[in-house]
């Protein structure tokens, strides 16, 4: 059995605190990345000896010169067309597919599109070039560090309007593109409390192309429960949350035999949510995590981990840092390539109960976001802040958010996955 190289930690990146602003300050304008097109320079014609005069013929000198000019012109046209083809399909930094299609309603063919009343164009707007000469791909973030800073530090142009990252944009991937991204991993693990559980539910909605019931184990539900738990209710009602999907294997094993099938668009990379609310976590959760790490002992594909812990511990800083060390140490022992993403907490909505304002209000949440991003950086972990993203978004109870928020959060995590090395 081949020995595995030591765990490759994600490269140290600047803390998201350096990119985020004051909790009430937002930065919206996009920088201009346009560059003037380069016009091919014409070459002067080269005079060549005229062999006709040396032989006594009074032949004009224009024929060799004409052929030379035609050859040069053909070469210039060829180089120009070649340059245009590279401009149409630019080299991409990091590991990221490039989609040339314009943004339509991504959810148009999703189950529940009409019932839930959500269009992808209501929650995501692609960047718009300022100049006709600006290539659209240049407005997207060129690497993982800038992507995380942009997604953490953006803002909205009004309450519940689409979110704009700071400085550069993230992508909205089609389901087939999401499948290509996931194929580069052995597994994807979500470790966290309820806010991350909601994001994982949205992750399943995208992969099942079902925003009506895609986050639930609908094969276990009665018909009346399925009707009551559609759309936002699968996130907001406690009786519906009890049916949340916790791993891809359960969907693969049970969905096909149920009378209400909603399979994954692709199902080659397993993914799982492991609920944690303390540190250290129970031993059975360690066992579950280790079984994922050692599922494919000969594989060199990475196992991506999305980690978050906030409201379950009342924003206890020592518990969060202890949890980081706890799960990173388990990953290091496995000697596998296990990149981590620390996800910060959501901002508090205006319906936050008064009894929680001091301990879990926006001031406490902001400082927790900044300090935990610094702790993640110190451990060479990536960090994604959700404070700015949720600050002007509608929350149903002041702590948790509906589909229009968690679907975008799930897409942000998919963008992070798209920028990770695959070996």
């Amino acid at each position: 059995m081949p020995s595995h190289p030591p765990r490759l930690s994600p490269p140290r990146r600047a803390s998201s605190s350096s990119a985020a602003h004051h909790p009430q300050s937002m930065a919206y304008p996009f920088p201009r990345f346009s560059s003037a097109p380069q016009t091919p320079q014409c070459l002067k014609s080269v005079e060549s000896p005229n062999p006709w005069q040396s032989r006594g013929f009074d032949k004009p000198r224009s024929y060799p010169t004409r052929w030379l000019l035609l050859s040069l012109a053909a070469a210039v046209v060829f180089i120009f067309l070649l340059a245009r083809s590279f401009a149409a399909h630019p080299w991409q930094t990091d590991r990221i597919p490039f989609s040339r299609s314009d943004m339509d309603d991504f959810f148009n063919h999703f189950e529940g599109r009409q019932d839930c009343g959500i269009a992808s164009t209501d929650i995501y707007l692609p960047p718009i070039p300022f100049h006709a000469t600006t290539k659209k791909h240049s407005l997207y973030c060129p690497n993982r560090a800038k992507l995380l800073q942009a997604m953490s530090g953006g803002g909205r142009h009004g309450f519940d309007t689409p979110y704009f990252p700071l400085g550069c944009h993230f992508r909205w991937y089609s389901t087939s593109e999401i499948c290509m991204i996931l194929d580069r991993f052995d597994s994807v693990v979500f470790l966290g409390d309820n806010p991350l559980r909601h994001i994982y539910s949205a992750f399943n909605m995208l992969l099942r192309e079902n925003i009506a019931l895609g986050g639930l184990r609908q094969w276990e539900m009665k018909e009346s429960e399925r009707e009551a738990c559609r759309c936002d209710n699968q996130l907001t009602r406690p009786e519906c949350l009890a049916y949340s999907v916790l791993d891809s294997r359960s969907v693969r094993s049970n969905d096909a035999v149920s009378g209400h099938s909603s399979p994954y668009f692709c199902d080659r990379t397993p993914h799982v949510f492991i609920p944690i609310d303390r540190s250290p976590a129970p031993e059975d959760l360690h066992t579950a995590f280790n079984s994922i790490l050692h599922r494919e002992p000969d594989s060199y594909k990475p196992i991506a981990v999305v980690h978050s812990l906030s409201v379950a511990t009342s924003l206890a800083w020592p518990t969060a840092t202890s949890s980081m060390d706890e799960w990173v140490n388990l990953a290091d022992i496995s000697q596998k390539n296990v990149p981590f993403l620390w996800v910060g907490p959501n901002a508090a909505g205006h319906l936050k109960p008064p009894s929680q304002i001091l301990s879990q209000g926006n001031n406490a949440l902001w400082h927790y976001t900044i300090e935990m991003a610094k702790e993640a950086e110190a451990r060479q972990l990536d960090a994604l802040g959700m404070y700015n993203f949720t600050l002007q978004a509608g929350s149903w109870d002041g702590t948790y958010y509906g589909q229009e928020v968690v679907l975008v959060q799930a897409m942000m995590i998919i963008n992070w996955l798209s920028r990770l090395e695959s070996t």
Side-chain angles (χ1 to χ4, degrees), residues 157-222:
H157 288 286
F159 196 81
D160 267 346
T161 58
Y163 181 74
F164 282 90
L166 177 63
C168 58
H169 222 292
F170 64 97
R171 298 184 185 278
W172 195 279
Y173 290 108
S174 67
T175 315
S176 58
E177 290 172 325
I178 295 173
C179 292
M180 287 193 298
I181 293 168
L182 294 181
D183 278 346
R184 299 166 45 246
F185 298 90
D186 261 348
S187 303
V188 180
V189 181
F190 290 73
L191 285 167
D193 51 3
N194 278 340
L196 189 65
R197 181 176 183 167
H198 290 187
I199 297 175
Y200 181 68
S201 292
F203 184 79
N204 281 274
M205 295 177 206
L206 293 173
L207 284 174
R208 298 173 80 182
E209 296 190 331
N210 184 346
I211 56 178
L213 293 168
L216 302 178
R217 304 189 303 274
Q218 86 285 353
W219 61 87
E220 298 179 4
M221 304 169 70
K222 300 176 182 177

Side-chain angles (χ1 to χ4, degrees), residues 62-365:
S62 59
Y63 282 97
T65 304
R66 183 181 303 172
W67 282 111
L68 181 59
L69 290 174
L70 289 174
S71 299
L72 289 173
V76 169
V77 171
F78 174 77
I79 294 172
F80 178 74
L81 293 176
L82 185 64
R84 287 193 62 182
S85 68
F86 277 106
H89 304 280
W91 293 106
Q92 294 297 303
T93 55
D94 289 329
R95 279 72 178 168
I96 175 172
F98 178 70
S99 174
R100 298 177 57 188
S101 60
D102 293 329
M103 180 73 180
D104 296 319
D105 184 6
F106 180 82
F107 302 141
N108 193 45
H109 62 286
F110 277 38
E111 183 176 341
R113 162 67 179 85
Q114 297 298 327
D115 294 345
C116 301
I118 301 177
S120 60
T121 50
D122 295 334
I123 59 178
Y124 173 88
L125 293 177
I128 300 175
F130 282 99
H131 302 289
T133 56
T134 302
K135 299 299 182 182
K136 188 175 181 180
H137 70 270
S138 67
L139 301 177
Y140 293 100
C141 297
N143 55 57
R144 192 169 78 245
K146 290 184 178 179
L147 173 73
L148 291 170
Q149 291 174 359
M151 294 190 299
S152 299
R156 299 175 188 265
H157 288 286
F159 196 81
D160 267 346
T161 58
Y163 181 74
F164 282 90
L166 177 63
C168 58
H169 222 292
F170 64 97
R171 298 184 185 278
W172 195 279
Y173 290 108
S174 67
T175 315
S176 58
E177 290 172 325
I178 295 173
C179 292
M180 287 193 298
I181 293 168
L182 294 181
D183 278 346
R184 299 166 45 246
F185 298 90
D186 261 348
S187 303
V188 180
V189 181
F190 290 73
L191 285 167
D193 51 3
N194 278 340
L196 189 65
R197 181 176 183 167
H198 290 187
I199 297 175
Y200 181 68
S201 292
F203 184 79
N204 281 274
M205 295 177 206
L206 293 173
L207 284 174
R208 298 173 80 182
E209 296 190 331
N210 184 346
I211 56 178
L213 293 168
L216 302 178
R217 304 189 303 274
Q218 86 285 353
W219 61 87
E220 298 179 4
M221 304 169 70
K222 300 176 182 177
E223 185 61 33
S224 59
E225 291 174 322
R226 280 191 285 268
E227 286 299 319
C229 292
R230 292 175 67 84
C231 304
D232 259 348
N233 289 342
Q234 60 189 311
L235 302 171
T236 60
R237 292 189 175 183
E239 63 270 24
C240 301
L241 286 171
Y243 292 104
S244 294
V245 171
L246 298 179
D247 63 86
S248 58
R249 183 178 61 180
S250 64
V251 177
R252 182 174 61 250
S253 302
N254 298 286
D255 182 76
V257 299
S258 69
H260 299 269
S261 180
S262 179
Y264 289 117
F265 185 85
C266 58
D267 187 26
R268 295 181 292 271
T269 302
H271 46 86
V272 61
F273 174 78
I274 298 178
I276 57 174
D277 57 7
R278 67 183 79 106
S279 182
E283 191 60 34
D284 61 321
L285 299 185
H286 290 180
T287 302
F289 186 62
N290 282 323
S291 66
I292 296 170
L293 295 178
H294 299 286
R295 187 180 65 88
E296 296 287 347
D298 295 330
S299 175
Y300 287 93
K301 288 184 178 181
I303 299 171
V305 176
V306 183
H307 185 201
S308 182
L309 193 60
S310 55
V311 295
T313 65
S314 298
L315 307 182
W317 296 11
T319 306
T321 55
S322 172
S323 185
M324 289 183 193
D325 294 332
E326 174 186 358
W327 298 101
V328 168
N329 288 340
L330 288 175
D332 286 341
I333 292 173
S334 73
Q335 295 188 331
K336 302 295 287 289
N337 180 9
V338 187
F340 275 73
L341 175 67
W342 172 262
V343 178
N346 299 325
H350 67 282
L351 295 178
K352 194 82 168 180
S355 60
Q356 298 179 6
I357 292 298
L358 289 179
S359 62
Q360 297 183 30
N362 277 338
N363 184 59
L365 288 163

